[in-house]
């Protein structure tokens, strides 16, 4: 909830206090108070319906007062603190409405307002605590220790002790402790934590490497170029913290209405009481001023937004979308641009064999069989893609990994080599390899006894529903862009396949955040991603959407919405659901403000007394709540039949 709403969520202290942050919904104190308030209110209603008499009325009054005080505790103290600072918002409206209703004897109505608003506040607090936990989890990607080469000896140090110019020794399987430049050694790096791309990146002398990357089979000497406080992961944390703070300071719909409305109502009530007392009976005009105050208090507005939010968020969860509070729902309903990450969002983040080219009389089956024989003894990220493409594997023997190049092994008396173009001469397959690379695939060559037999293309394929989702987004008026850390050729090939025209490639996490900031200058933008590398962009966007089922914890925590399934169609469905919910909110706001406009003059001239004003408000609240409940209607997606999902590309199946 924004600062303007008249409520707050205190930041945790460093150390032990942060560790004690609530992890589950039921551990949020504001939601605990809301639950108690709701139970007390329900008990009052049951007693009021079941019994008559003075004793029953006493019990009802006592329970309603307890419900009011319990619910109000979640927002009134912070509202008063912010009023001292001159900050006015929907929390101020709620406080005025509650006090006014209580003074005029409508304690039950005041308790209902406090109960509903306390639920909204609890959901906002839960969202903030999840975000802070996600940022702490991000820092765990940095190893606890690093090996520094100092005075010719290997010294184990903490990453914080590394300084620019130090040499790090990074062994196979280790994470890189901070950013640097490779000075000696070659390897294949798993950079998915930084770029989000599933295909390993070859690294050698002169190449930049980043904190959190996982070393492959080679041994590296890396010159440190950034301290632990200024490396890639630290910058990600800083961007996410900054952008989450910006979002927290933005005003919600009810806040923007409340800011001018609250002081206007208060000034009008004072003027009515003061001027009326000078011209007539002070008691009459003071009472009339109180009636005007109650008439002008937007009780229906205060109830309608939380009711709509609760109904819409509950329905969204049935659609497979976790929406983190009312502010996220409102923003989701008004975004007009969507930026999509490539790997893990438009694609399934699983490399697949998409093409096989052959020469010298070899068959596709033979080329894949030889490649799989070597990859069966390999830990290279591409190995699984090739192994999945064959029915059975006969492993090669004496397999040796050539760092940054490929594999050598023997089978049935033949020497087999598998590796990248350049290490192996493509020969007659040069044109095929170029075609594969232009299609955004990683090409590897297969050689037996010095003869090139074939080339295998591996690529992270788009989800089967991706093109349809992009087409639906564009049809609904959204501007669509793709952001990726992958190379331009791969990005352009996939973008053309799914129908995206605006492509930004070879981006680091901070680059993605900068691009999103530029897009925000044109229209309200939502960023959809799934990895650690997407966290800054998710936080920078007006709304961050994480692919939750396969996404990292950090991406989910940095986002405002998490799509909990792997079906990308949930994105368009959730956007449509939020747009409908926002229309319902605007309808309720219009009804509430129209009601106030009609009631104030009638109360001012004495046509309507307190009882009549309260009755009209009650009827309006019923209408508004009924309208808000409509936001809870949602229809789940139809399942995609198994035959509609791509298993293997036709070229490979034909092989």
């Amino acid at each position: 909830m924004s600062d303007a709403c008249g409520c707050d969520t205190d930041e945790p202290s460093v150390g032990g206090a942060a560790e004690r942050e609530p992890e589950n919904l039921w551990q949020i104190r504001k939601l605990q108070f809301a639950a108690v308030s709701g139970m007390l209110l329900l008990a009052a209603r049951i007693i009021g319906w079941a019994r008559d008499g003075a004793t029953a009325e006493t019990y009802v009054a006592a329970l309603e007062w307890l419900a009011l005080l319990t619910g109000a505790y979640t927002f009134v103290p912070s509202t008063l603190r912010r009023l001292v600072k001159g900050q006015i918002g929907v929390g101020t409206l709620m406080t005025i409405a509650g006090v006014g209703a209580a003074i005029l004897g409508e304690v039950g109505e005041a308790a209902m307002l406090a109960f509903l608003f306390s639920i909204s506040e609890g959901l906002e607090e839960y969202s903030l605590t999840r975000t802070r936990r996600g940022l702490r989890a991000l820092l765990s990607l940095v190893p606890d220790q690093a090996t520094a080469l100092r005075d010719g000896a290997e010294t184990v140090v903490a990453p914080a002790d590394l300084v620019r110019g130090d040499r790090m020794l990074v062994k196979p399987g280790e994470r890189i402790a901070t950013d640097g430049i490779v000075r000696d050694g070659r390897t294949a790096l798993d950079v998915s934590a930084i770029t989000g791309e599933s295909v390993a990146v070859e690294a050698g002398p002169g190449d930049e490497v980043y904190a959190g990357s996982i070393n492959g089979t080679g041994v590296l000497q890396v010159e440190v170029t950034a301290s632990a406080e200024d490396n890639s992961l630290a910058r990600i944390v800083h961007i996410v913290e900054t952008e989450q703070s910006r979002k927290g300071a933005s005003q919600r719909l009810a806040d923007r209405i409340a800011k001018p409305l609250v002081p206007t109502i208060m000034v009008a009530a004072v003027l009515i009481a003061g001027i009326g007392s000078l011209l007539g009976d002070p008691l009459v005009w003071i009472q009339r001023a109180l009636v005007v105050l109650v008439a002008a208090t937007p009780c229906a507005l205060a109830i309608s937004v939380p009711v709509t939010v609760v109904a819409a968020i509950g329905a969204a969860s049935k659609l497979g979308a976790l929406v983190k509070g009312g502010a996220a729902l409102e923003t989701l309903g008004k975004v007009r641009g969507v930026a999509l990450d490539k790997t893990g969002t438009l694609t399934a983040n699983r490399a697949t064999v998409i093409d096989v080219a052959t020469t010298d009389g070899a068959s596709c089956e033979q080329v894949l069989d030889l490649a799989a024989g070597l990859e069966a003894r390999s830990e290279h990220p591409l190995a699984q893609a090739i192994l999945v493409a064959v029915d059975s594997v006969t492993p090669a023997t004496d397999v040796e990994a050539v760092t940054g190049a490929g594999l050598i092994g023997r089978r049935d008396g033949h020497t087999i080599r598998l590796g990248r173009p350049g290490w192996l001469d493509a020969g007659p397959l040069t044109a095929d390899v170029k075609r594969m690379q232009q299609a955004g695939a990683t090409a590897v060559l297969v050689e037996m006894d010095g003869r090139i037999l074939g080339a295998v293309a591996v690529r992270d394929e788009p989800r089967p529903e991706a093109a349809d989702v992009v087409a639906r987004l564009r049809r609904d008026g959204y501007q669509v862009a793709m952001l990726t850390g992958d190379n331009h050729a791969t990005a352009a090939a996939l973008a053309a396949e799914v129908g995206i025209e605006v492509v930004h490639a070879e981006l680091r996490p901070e680059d993605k955040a900068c691009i999103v900031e530029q897009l925000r200058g044109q229209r309200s933008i939502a960023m959809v991603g799934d990895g650690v590398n997407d966290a800054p962009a998710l936080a920078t966007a007006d709304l961050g959407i994480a692919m939750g089922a396969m996404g990292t914890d950090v991406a989910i925590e940095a986002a405002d919405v998490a799509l909990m399934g792997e079906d990308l169609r949930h994105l368009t469905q959730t956007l449509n659901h939020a747009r409908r919910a926002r229309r319902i909110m605007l309808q309720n706001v219009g009804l509430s403000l129209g009601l106030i406009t009609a009631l104030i003059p009638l109360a001012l001239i004495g046509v309507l007394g307190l009882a009549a004003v309260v009755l009209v408000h009650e009827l309006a609240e019923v209408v508004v709540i009924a309208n808000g409940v409509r936001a809870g209607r949602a229809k789940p997606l139809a399942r995609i039949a198994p035959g509609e999902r791509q298993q293997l590309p036709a070229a490979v199946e034909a092989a």
Side-chain angles (χ1 to χ4, degrees):
M1 185 67 72
S2 69
D3 287 345
C5 76
C7 48
D8 62 355
T9 302
D10 296 331
E11 293 291 333
S13 58
V14 178
E19 297 299 324
R20 292 191 295 273
E21 281 185 359
E23 296 185 0
N24 300 303
L25 200 63
W26 59 85
Q27 294 176 315
I28 300 296
R29 284 182 58 82
K30 289 183 178 179
L31 287 179
Q32 292 172 353
F33 275 92
V36 173
S37 177
M39 288 187 290
L40 290 169
L41 201 54
L42 178 61
R45 293 290 186 267
I46 292 174
I47 293 175
W49 292 331
R51 294 187 178 185
D52 295 323
T55 303
E57 290 180 3
T58 302
Y59 284 136
V60 168
L63 289 171
E64 286 178 344
W65 272 107
L66 287 173
L68 171 60
L69 295 174
T70 304
Y73 180 76
T74 64
F75 63 91
V76 171
S78 55
T79 294
L80 297 177
R81 288 196 297 270
R82 292 178 184 276
L83 274 176
V84 173
K85 301 176 184 178
Q87 297 174 346
I88 295 174
V90 72
T92 315
L93 276 177
M94 292 300 302
T95 302
I96 292 174
V99 171
I103 290 174
L104 297 172
E106 299 296 332
V107 180
E109 181 179 349
M112 178 61 73
L113 291 174
F115 164 63
L116 290 173
F117 196 64
S118 61
I119 293 176
S120 176
E121 290 306 294
L123 291 175
E124 296 292 344
E125 181 178 333
Y126 180 60
S127 173
L128 290 174
T129 56
R130 284 175 61 86
T131 298
R132 289 192 290 260
R133 287 202 309 275
L135 291 177
R136 288 199 300 273
L138 175 58
L139 296 177
S140 67
L141 292 176
V142 176
D144 295 330
Q145 57 187 30
T147 302
L149 298 175
R150 292 174 177 172
D151 300 325
E154 298 181 12
T155 305
V156 176
V157 299
D161 294 333
L162 292 170
V163 296
R164 290 180 177 84
D166 272 348
R167 288 286 182 103
M168 290 187 295
L169 185 68
V170 186
K171 300 174 183 177
E174 290 184 344
R175 285 190 183 272
I176 297 176
T178 191
D179 298 350
I181 297 175
V182 177
R183 294 307 182 194
D184 186 56
R186 287 189 173 275
T187 190
L189 290 174
D190 178 355
V191 295
S192 57
I194 305 303
T195 68
E197 305 311 314
S198 55
V199 178
V201 174
E202 305 292 340
D207 291 332
E208 263 192 294
V209 293
Y210 305 110
S213 301
I214 302 175
N215 188 18
T217 56
V219 177
L220 299 178
Q221 285 191 26
V222 178
E223 180 181 337
V224 174
T225 58
S227 64
E229 294 79 18
D230 192 37
N231 63 33
S232 301
L233 293 178
R235 287 197 295 273
I236 291 176
V237 172
H238 174 71
I239 292 171
V240 173
E241 285 179 333
T242 301
E243 294 304 324
Q244 287 288 353
S245 175
R246 173 186 61 81
K247 286 184 180 180
S250 65
Q251 287 189 329
R252 292 181 53 183
L253 176 63
D255 298 331
R256 294 195 299 272
I257 295 171
K259 192 170 184 179
L261 187 60
V262 171
T264 301
I265 292 172
M266 296 173 68
V267 170
V270 171
L271 289 176
I272 290 169
I275 297 174
S277 297
L278 294 175
L279 300 177
D281 186 350
L283 291 178
V284 171
W285 284 100
I286 290 174
Q287 184 179 23
R288 195 168 291 183
L290 287 174
V291 175
V292 168
L293 182 63
V294 172
T297 302
C299 300
L301 170 65
I303 286 181
S304 65
V305 173
V307 167
T308 307
V309 165
V310 170
I313 289 177
S317 66
K318 297 177 183 177
L319 299 176
L322 171 63
V323 181
K324 300 179 182 178
L329 181 70
E330 289 181 24
T331 305
L332 184 63
K334 66 180 181 180
V335 296
R336 290 297 176 266
V338 178
L340 296 161
D341 173 52
K342 181 181 79 69
T343 306
T345 302
L346 287 169
T347 71
N349 200 15
R350 289 188 295 271
T352 305
V353 174
I354 64 167
D355 194 8
V356 179
T358 63
T359 187
D360 202 13
S363 66
C364 291
E365 294 94 335
Q366 182 183 8
V367 170
L368 285 172
D369 178 59
L370 293 173
L374 288 173
E375 295 289 21
R377 296 288 186 260
S378 170
E379 297 180 357
H380 195 279
L382 295 182
Q384 191 60 34
I386 294 176
L387 292 173
V388 168
V390 299
D391 294 328
S392 60
V393 180
T394 303
T397 58
D398 302 325
V399 177
E400 176 187 351
V402 179
T403 302
L407 300 168
I408 302 175
R410 295 185 61 80
R411 197 174 74 177
D412 300 328
H414 300 283
T415 299
I416 311 167
R417 294 203 298 173
L418 172 75
R420 61 180 177 82
W423 183 58
L424 297 179
D425 184 5
L429 295 176
T430 299
D432 293 286
V433 168
K434 185 176 181 180
R435 172 178 55 80
M436 292 173 176
Q437 292 173 335
Q438 287 176 341
T442 298
V444 291
L445 295 167
V446 179
E447 178 190 273
M448 184 172 71
D449 294 333
R451 295 183 300 118
I452 287 293
L453 298 183
V456 180
V458 178
R459 189 178 71 173
D460 187 11
E461 284 291 87
R463 297 179 183 278
E465 71 276 11
D468 180 59
V469 167
V470 171
R472 287 177 180 271
L473 288 172
R474 297 179 65 177
R475 183 196 65 194
D476 291 341
Y478 294 97
Q479 296 293 321
V480 183
M482 185 174 80
L483 279 59
T484 178
D486 213 337
N487 62 74
H488 287 286
T490 300
L494 186 134
E497 189 170 343
V498 300
I500 297 177
E501 297 178 355
V502 180
V503 181
H504 302 275
E506 297 185 8
L507 302 176
R508 292 174 60 185
E510 52 266 47
D511 299 329
K512 287 187 178 183
C514 289
I515 295 295
V516 168
E517 184 65 35
Q518 294 173 15
L519 294 175
R520 284 185 61 234
Q522 303 169 15
R523 60 185 57 85
S524 180
I525 193 83
M527 172 70 195
V528 188
D530 78 308
V532 170
N533 63 296
D534 299 317
L538 290 169
T540 302
D542 294 289
L543 187 93
I545 304 176
M547 294 291 288
M550 77 295 298
T552 64
D553 288 342
V554 176
I556 294 173
E557 307 305 350
D560 306 288
V561 178
L563 303 180
M564 304 312 293
E566 294 193 13
D567 193 334
L568 191 57
R569 293 180 302 159
H570 285 302
L571 174 61
T572 52
Q573 186 185 37
T574 303
L575 286 169
N576 290 336
H577 175 68
R579 289 175 82 164
R580 179 171 176 270
R582 187 167 183 269
R583 284 197 300 270
I584 292 174
M585 287 184 197
L586 293 175
Q587 291 169 5
N588 285 342
V589 168
L591 175 61
S592 302
L593 295 180
L595 181 67
I596 292 172
T597 303
L599 287 180
I600 287 178
L602 294 175
L604 178 61
I605 62 178
V607 172
L608 294 180
L610 176 61
V613 167
V614 171
L615 177 61
V616 173
H617 271 303
E618 293 285 359
L619 292 175
E621 288 167 17
V622 171
V623 173
V624 159
I625 290 172
N627 192 39
V629 168
R630 292 195 304 117
R633 298 176 186 171
K635 183 179 180 181
L637 283 176
R639 289 181 175 273
I640 295 180
E644 296 180 48
R645 289 192 178 274
Q646 298 174 353
Q647 300 300 325
L648 280 177
V652 179
E653 289 181 340

